[in-house]
């Protein structure tokens, strides 16, 4: 057909036919709208993305908005954590100064200045409860507060030692402050029970500081994080309570009639003579390592010695549990505490602990003493 239409007309008939064919329009079904494509030109290396329809946000802009929101949230969290670290550093510094002052007084055996409470403040600070396993409590507090202050400063500057991450540093801070708050609560309990009526402004200040530290630290953790760290807090609190209870288990309560009295040590006098049986029994008890534990103010201890008499009582291995006298807060001697004494007198014979006064015949039986006919003597 194309050749026919494009061929040069050789006759009038062909010329007319070609002209008529060019004038016939194509059918409407054959018409197609032109296809149009929008192409975004970009330089090499750039991603080519089709333009979105008008009015619909693109995925890239939505992601950018999400990143902006996340950055804003992270910035707020970082700001809150930064304030927490600064507060911990400041409060820890105050506590460090307080405990450093008390440590100096303890090591130099000086009296503390007590603005509130007068002499009772010194009684608390100088009591046997002011040390744990021989270590002064102010010294332990100074180390704890100093660690919190240093850790707060390092966390603020994001410069933790030993390559610790910030999350690990926060856990360490939480563990230390939880331990300090638990210890303060325990000491307040001792202050109210062992030193009833006494006042100690330094103790109360330290408790306020430690409670503030643990509250500030916990507040920085979210609810889900608190749930995850609850086990850590319970473990630290339990460890502190067990340690302090073990250290203070050596504390022996004095009879209520003497609770508010300061008793200087005095030697008791034995007035009864010793029988041959009592002397022999005393020598036997001494030979097997049996010991009698008592207190100078204990009337039952004196009566037990009177059963033996003057001569025999001198042979006994007697352990005085309050050799320096007694006053409020005084602890029992370590030798007595190791036995687990519940009352006076207490006997330790062949590994068996006996509380209360014992008849000489009972002591002979328990110790395996053979009197050779002297058992009837007393």
């Amino acid at each position: 057909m194309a050749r026919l239409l494009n061929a040069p007309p050789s006759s009038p008939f062909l010329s007319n036919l070609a002209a008529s064919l060019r004038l016939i329009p194509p059918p409407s079904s054959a018409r197609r709208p032109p296809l149009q494509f929008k192409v975004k030109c970009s330089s090499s290396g750039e991603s080519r993305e089709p333009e979105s329809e008008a009015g619909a946000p693109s995925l890239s802009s939505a992601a950018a908005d999400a990143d902006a929101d996340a950055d804003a949230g992270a910035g707020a969290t970082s700001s809150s954590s930064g304030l927490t670290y600064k507060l911990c550093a400041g409060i820890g510094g105050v506590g460090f100064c307080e405990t450093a002052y008390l440590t100096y007084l303890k090591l130099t055996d000086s009296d503390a200045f007590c603005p509130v409470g007068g002499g009772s403040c010194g009684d608390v600070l100088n009591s046997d409860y002011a040390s744990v396993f021989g270590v002064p409590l102010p010294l332990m507090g100074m180390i704890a507060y100093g660690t919190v202050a240093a850790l707060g400063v390092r966390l603020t500057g994001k410069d933790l030692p030993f390559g610790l991450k910030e999350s690990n540093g926060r856990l360490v801070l939480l563990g230390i402050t939880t331990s300090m708050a638990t210890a303060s609560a325990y000491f307040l309990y001792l202050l109210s029970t062992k030193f009833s009526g006494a006042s100690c402004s330094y103790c109360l200040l330290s408790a306020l500081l430690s409670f503030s530290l643990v509250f500030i630290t916990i507040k920085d953790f979210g609810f889900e994080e608190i749930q995850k760290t609850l086990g850590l807090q319970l473990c630290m609190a339990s460890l502190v309570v067990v340690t302090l209870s073990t250290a203070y288990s050596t504390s022996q309560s004095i009879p209520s009639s003497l609770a508010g009295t300061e008793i200087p040590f005095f030697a008791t006098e034995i007035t009864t003579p010793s029988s041959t049986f009592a002397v022999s029994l005393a020598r036997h008890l001494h030979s097997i390592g049996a010991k009698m534990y008592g207190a100078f103010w204990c009337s039952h201890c004196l009566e037990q010695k009177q059963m033996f008499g003057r001569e025999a009582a001198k042979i006994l291995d007697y352990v005085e549990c309050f050799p320096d006298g007694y006053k409020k807060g005084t602890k029992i001697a370590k030798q007595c505490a190791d036995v687990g004494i519940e009352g006076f007198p207490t006997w330790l014979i062949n590994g068996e602990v006996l509380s209360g006064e014992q008849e000489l015949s009972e002591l002979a039986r328990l110790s395996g003493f053979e009197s050779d006919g002297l058992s009837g003597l007393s």
Side-chain angles (χ1 to χ4, degrees):
M1 176 67 72
R3 295 178 60 186
L4 179 61
L5 292 176
N6 294 325
S10 58
S11 66
F13 172 76
L14 292 177
S15 299
N16 293 334
L17 179 59
S20 62
L21 289 175
R22 288 192 181 97
L23 293 177
I24 297 174
S28 58
S29 60
R31 297 179 182 178
R32 294 287 186 273
L35 296 177
Q36 298 180 357
F37 296 93
K38 295 181 179 180
V39 179
K40 180 180 179 181
C41 298
S42 60
S43 60
S44 61
E46 294 183 356
S47 60
R48 293 170 173 79
E49 299 180 355
E51 292 186 359
S52 59
E53 297 180 2
S58 66
L59 293 177
S60 60
S61 61
D65 293 341
D67 292 341
D69 293 340
D71 293 340
T77 302
S78 177
S79 176
S80 175
S81 298
L83 178 61
T84 297
Y85 303 151
K86 291 178 181 178
L87 287 175
C88 287
I91 296 175
V94 174
F96 178 83
C97 293
E98 180 208 9
T99 50
Y101 168 68
L102 295 178
T103 300
Y104 168 78
L105 296 179
K106 188 72 174 179
L107 296 179
T108 58
D109 198 21
S110 304
D111 293 331
F113 169 72
C114 301
V116 179
S120 62
C121 177
D123 293 339
V124 175
L125 295 174
N126 295 324
S127 70
D128 289 334
Y129 288 98
S131 61
V132 176
F133 296 118
V135 181
L137 275 179
L139 178 60
M140 299 174 68
M142 183 178 69
I143 295 174
Y145 281 117
T147 303
V148 169
L151 195 57
V153 172
R154 287 299 190 94
L155 283 170
T156 301
K158 311 296 182 184
D159 181 25
L160 292 174
F162 311 115
L164 287 176
K165 296 181 179 179
E166 182 179 0
S167 58
N168 295 330
R170 294 173 68 207
L171 288 178
V172 173
L173 186 63
L174 178 64
I176 296 176
T177 54
T178 300
S179 301
M180 295 170 65
T182 305
S184 294
Y186 192 95
F187 296 143
L188 290 179
Y189 164 76
L190 290 179
L191 184 64
S192 63
T193 55
K194 303 295 183 180
F195 302 91
S196 180
S199 176
C200 178
S201 54
Y202 295 104
C203 307
L204 298 177
L205 175 60
S206 182
L208 176 62
L209 294 176
S210 59
F211 290 152
S212 299
L213 283 172
V214 73
F215 174 76
I216 292 171
T217 306
I218 292 177
K219 187 175 179 295
D220 191 49
F221 284 78
F223 180 73
E224 293 184 358
E225 286 184 292
I226 292 177
Q227 287 182 316
K228 294 178 181 178
T229 58
L230 183 60
L232 171 64
Q233 292 178 277
L234 292 177
C235 288
M236 296 301 297
S238 300
L239 180 61
V240 170
V241 171
V242 170
T243 302
L244 293 177
S245 298
T246 302
Y248 294 140
S249 62
T250 58
S251 300
Q252 175 70 28
S253 60
I254 198 167
S256 58
S257 59
L258 304 176
T261 307
E262 182 174 345
I263 311 171
F265 177 80
F266 59 87
T268 57
E269 182 181 358
I270 303 170
T271 58
T272 59
S274 298
S275 65
T276 306
F277 174 76
V279 173
S280 298
L281 176 60
R283 288 173 178 169
H284 172 71
L285 292 172
H286 175 76
S287 66
I288 65 173
K291 289 182 173 59
M292 174 186 169
Y293 299 86
F296 65 94
W297 42 260
C298 170
S299 60
H300 295 287
C301 301
L302 178 58
E303 292 174 4
Q304 183 76 84
K305 292 178 182 179
Q306 293 281 25
M307 290 183 187
F308 279 91
R310 287 189 299 270
E311 295 79 13
K314 294 178 181 179
I315 302 173
L316 293 173
D317 287 334
Y318 173 75
V319 180
E320 173 59 52
C321 294
F322 292 91
D324 299 324
Y326 177 84
K327 64 180 181 179
K328 185 183 296 184
T330 301
K331 287 199 309 181
I332 195 172
K334 187 177 185 301
Q335 284 181 290
C336 302
D338 292 340
V339 179
I341 291 176
E342 297 179 355
F344 299 117
T346 293
W347 286 91
L348 180 62
I349 302 175
N350 294 328
E352 183 177 358
V353 178
L354 305 171
S355 297
E357 295 178 53
Q358 306 293 328
E359 294 294 334
L360 299 187
S361 58
E362 181 66 12
L363 292 173
R365 184 186 67 83
L366 292 172
S367 64
F369 174 63
E370 296 180 359
S371 59
D372 295 331
L374 297 175
S375 58
L377 300 176
S378 60

